[in-house]
Amino acid sequence: MSSLLLFLPFLVLSPASMLEFRYHSNHEIEQYLLQINASNPEITHLYSIGQSVRGQQLWVLALGLSPRRHTVGIPEFKYVANMHGNEVLGRELLLQLIDDLVHGYHNNETWSLQLLNSTRVHILPTMNPDGFDASDTDCQYSQGRFNHNGIDLNRNFPDAFAGLRRQQQLDDRKREAEVRAVIGWLRTESFVLSANLHGGALVASYPYDNSNGGSEQVGGASIAPDDDVFVHLAKVYSHSHASMHHGDRCNDGRPFLDGITNGYQWYPLIGGMQDYNYVWAQCLELTLEVSCCKFPPVKQLPALWTDNRKALLAFIQQVHLGVKGRVFDGSGLPVQNAVVEVRGRRNMCPFRTNQHGEYYRLLLPGNYSFTVTYPGHEVLTETLNVPYGPDSYSAMKHDFLLRHITKTTRRTPVNLSQALPTPSCNSTLHLGAGGAVTRPTSMGLGVGLGLVAALRSLID
């Protein structure tokens, strides 16, 4: 905190201050986040996940009752905007969201208190500040989409359909700085739900974005194991939005039923961020196209915030779907990397417990059979009746208690390749706790974490 104040001799933000509806420069966003953090240390924590190619900080503001570190049982949520530098509305929506949450908390508004009591929310207003600096204000064809190296960041992540092992083992240095920063971020947090905000259409898109022509390809779509949950999440956003659910709001002749689409069915893309989140970080992510125009006129910002506000908040609340809990070994200790699988949902990389022994599984209400696997222990199978959690701001809580294998126990064959970290699925092993990668102790922060090479560029 004291180090932040060194940079704030003239910046004092009272809870009553309001954020203007206009486009803010990267420097202004940085100053705003510093102000918010300095004025609200009880519910905010500012940290950097790394730097852009040109050395600009990628600032993240965490909000919650324990903003500096993860709390067992409190799910981690994130919003990312401005991945494409010329798609700018998301930047301003996330700044307004921060402002709204902070003011709601200080005004003792129930919706804000419930959200911040139950959830840790991370907000990255700009993933591509260099691209933003290079952008112009054309509605559809403006420059600035790519990063400073001319790379589309949404084609630069490892792609599961190119082969899990080969993609994970590519030279880290070939990945763009911004992509490496996000991958490093995912390694340090147990994110459960996420969305990245884009522009140029009005639709909620969900995984998969790519396919290799296998069993996942159904009727022109590439279907993920959690497709029912993804469809639900996309509809929550589109139907909470003022007009997205109508599905035909942009003049491009492309209607979207209910305002949602499977990413691959819309158009295939290689190396997308939402597929990476889902496959490697066990975080369900959507791509939200929030405006027909990539750089809407300033006068439209208040109305666009009104259109999206309810949807942004409703989507965060969905982090409380399904089941959460911990896995304990035969000695009663929480264990990391226990495999927690749901029958009928064979994920490419099995979902595992984090360093606190926690698992989070987003599921719609219903009966589900869980199988828990951990070396040296009996395979545990339990059936759970899962209620709808978002209304009460808490998923169903259930701990799994494992039993050691003994000589007298009839052993069930265990696939140890799933029970232990593997070279192809271990990039989400959590190496630190809650935003511990970097701290805003100076204006020169960075992380050297990451992976992969620039892949082909497609049009959003």
Side-chain angles (χ1 to χ4, degrees), residues 263-382:
Y264 183 85
Q265 193 162 31
W266 185 12
Y267 62 90
L269 68 89
I270 298 172
M273 185 166 70
Q274 73 174 10
D275 281 6
Y276 181 85
N277 268 266
Y278 178 54
V279 173
W280 270 287
Q282 56 196 49
C283 171
L284 277 66
E285 176 167 289
L286 299 190
T287 297
L288 302 175
E289 302 279 352
V290 292
S291 60
C292 297
C293 185
K294 294 186 177 185
F295 210 127
V298 172
K299 65 182 180 181
Q300 295 180 10
L301 292 181
L304 288 169
W305 163 243
T306 300
D307 288 350
N308 284 276
R309 177 184 179 272
K310 180 181 175 182
L312 288 166
L313 292 170
F315 187 73
I316 298 174
Q317 200 170 337
Q318 293 303 306
V319 78
H320 300 291
L321 275 176
V323 190
K324 64 182 179 182
R326 303 174 87 182
V327 176
F328 295 90
D329 67 12
S331 302
L333 299 174
V335 292
Q336 182 176 358
N337 285 319
V339 173
V340 180
E341 294 184 290
V342 179
R343 181 179 297 169
R345 294 168 192 264
R346 191 76 173 173
N347 298 93
M348 288 190 206
C349 290
F351 280 37
R352 305 176 187 274
T353 54
N354 65 14
Q355 71 271 36
H356 305 289
E358 294 175 281
Y359 73 94
Y360 293 85
R361 207 63 170 92
L362 297 185
L363 296 165
L364 300 183
N367 291 317
Y368 298 90
S369 177
F370 283 74
T371 299
V372 184
T373 309
Y374 189 69
H377 290 74
E378 298 178 25
V379 175
L380 176 64
T381 299
E382 294 186 22

Side-chain angles (χ1 to χ4, degrees), residues 190-311:
S190 302
F191 287 115
V192 178
L193 180 62
S194 171
N196 68 89
L197 278 60
H198 290 247
L202 198 62
V203 66
S205 176
Y206 56 90
Y208 292 120
D209 274 333
N210 198 12
S211 169
N212 59 13
S215 60
E216 76 283 348
Q217 217 170 76
V218 179
S222 185
I223 303 300
D226 294 292
D227 185 70
D228 59 337
V229 180
F230 278 122
V231 169
H232 167 79
L233 293 169
K235 285 183 177 180
V236 164
Y237 197 92
S238 69
H239 284 271
S240 300
H241 186 280
S243 58
M244 185 182 288
H245 56 281
H246 296 312
D248 57 355
R249 307 304 295 179
C250 298
N251 298 320
D252 60 0
R254 189 189 298 272
F256 296 105
L257 182 63
D258 286 317
I260 70 172
T261 184
N262 174 265
Y264 183 85
Q265 193 162 31
W266 185 12
Y267 62 90
L269 68 89
I270 298 172
M273 185 166 70
Q274 73 174 10
D275 281 6
Y276 181 85
N277 268 266
Y278 178 54
V279 173
W280 270 287
Q282 56 196 49
C283 171
L284 277 66
E285 176 167 289
L286 299 190
T287 297
L288 302 175
E289 302 279 352
V290 292
S291 60
C292 297
C293 185
K294 294 186 177 185
F295 210 127
V298 172
K299 65 182 180 181
Q300 295 180 10
L301 292 181
L304 288 169
W305 163 243
T306 300
D307 288 350
N308 284 276
R309 177 184 179 272
K310 180 181 175 182

Side-chain angles (χ1 to χ4, degrees), residues 42-186:
E42 73 281 17
I43 57 166
T44 67
H45 170 52
L46 183 64
Y47 63 99
S48 171
I49 60 170
Q51 297 179 343
S52 68
V53 172
R54 296 184 63 211
Q56 299 194 74
Q57 297 297 329
L58 303 179
W59 292 110
V60 175
L61 188 75
L63 301 100
L65 291 191
S66 179
R68 296 188 66 86
R69 60 187 57 83
H70 177 70
T71 300
V72 171
I74 300 296
E76 306 283 347
F77 176 94
K78 65 181 168 70
Y79 272 133
V80 175
N82 201 211
M83 186 182 198
H84 292 141
N86 63 336
E87 297 172 15
V88 299
L89 176 61
R91 290 163 58 105
E92 301 307 320
L93 292 181
L94 295 189
L95 293 183
Q96 292 293 336
L97 179 62
I98 291 169
D99 195 63
D100 205 19
L101 285 167
V102 170
H103 280 82
Y105 175 82
H106 286 295
N107 292 334
N108 291 315
E109 295 181 30
T110 301
W111 64 269
S112 180
L113 295 175
Q114 288 178 316
L115 209 55
L116 296 180
N117 271 326
S118 62
T119 318
R120 187 161 171 245
V121 180
H122 303 249
I123 295 178
L124 172 60
T126 175
M127 182 181 164
N128 187 3
D130 299 349
F132 175 82
D133 286 340
S135 66
D136 58 41
T137 60
D138 187 88
C139 189
Q140 288 293 337
Y141 303 106
S142 62
Q143 63 188 25
R145 174 186 178 89
F146 308 116
N147 77 343
H148 186 66
N149 287 336
I151 300 298
D152 188 331
L153 299 179
N154 206 30
R155 309 295 187 275
N156 192 236
F157 282 81
D159 193 285
F161 293 97
L164 290 172
R165 185 177 299 274
R166 183 170 68 85
Q167 282 292 316
Q168 279 299 94
Q169 293 178 342
L170 288 178
D171 191 338
D172 288 4
R173 292 172 298 178
K174 293 181 180 179
R175 300 293 177 194
E176 292 304 302
E178 298 86 354
V179 171
R180 294 199 309 270
V182 169
I183 290 175
W185 189 25
L186 293 174

